[in-house]
Amino acid sequence: MSTQTTRLEELGRELGEAIADHPKYEAYEEAKAAVEADDDVQELITEFNQLREEFNVSRQMGEATQEGLRKVQAAQEELHSEPVMEEYLLAQAELVGELEKINQAISEPLSVDFGGEAGGCCHD
């Protein structure tokens, strides 16, 4: 392995550690743990996921209804209105914003959207 590759990996680890130490990442982890520890919210998540899956199956079979869509949307609204979930979604959005800034900083000298291109193949 070349010294350049080793240095890049080292910088990558440092970046990962810096992100993990960032207050917005810490806030996200705390909010995520709060959601995971809240039994009522976990039940709402299960209900929402079940309704969403049922709706997706109905849609694939060409049997989706507006009523089914309304049920999924109502379950999502109920879930998102829980204070612990609101805090989690806000923390997640703030973390994503920080990660997008980091992506831009990495991508700028490369003249490519590093985060957008790294996982994909060919884009026309």
Side-chain angles (χ1 to χ4, degrees):
M1 190 177 297
S2 75
T3 46
Q4 280 186 321
T5 301
T6 303
R7 179 65 181 138
L8 289 173
E9 290 173 356
E10 200 175 288
L11 288 169
R13 275 189 287 284
E14 287 177 29
L15 177 59
E17 290 169 6
I19 291 169
D21 288 338
H22 194 285
K24 289 187 180 179
Y25 180 78
E26 292 172 357
Y28 166 77
E29 284 294 318
E30 288 174 14
K32 180 181 171 192
V35 165
E36 290 170 350
D38 189 312
D39 291 336
D40 293 335
V41 169
Q42 288 303 307
E43 187 175 319
L44 290 173
I45 290 170
T46 300
E47 290 172 15
F48 167 71
N49 286 334
Q50 182 178 351
L51 284 170
R52 182 178 58 182
E53 180 62 29
E54 289 171 4
F55 179 77
N56 286 334
V57 168
S58 295
R59 187 174 59 193
Q60 290 172 354
M61 297 176 66
E63 300 171 0
T65 64
Q66 282 300 108
E67 180 59 26
L69 179 59
R70 279 192 287 278
K71 285 182 182 179
V72 172
Q73 290 171 335
Q76 184 178 33
E77 287 174 17
E78 182 180 5
L79 174 61
H80 288 188
S81 71
E82 289 291 317
V84 70
M85 186 57 100
E86 286 179 346
E87 190 172 322
Y88 167 74
L89 293 171
L90 177 61
Q92 182 181 47
E94 289 180 355
L95 177 61
V96 166
E98 288 300 311
L99 294 175
E100 286 173 352
K101 290 177 193 175
I102 293 167
N103 174 48
Q104 288 174 345
I106 293 170
S107 299
E108 197 171 288
L110 301 175
S111 299
V112 65
D113 180 2
F114 178 75
E117 297 290 330
C121 178
C122 311
H123 297 281
D124 293 327

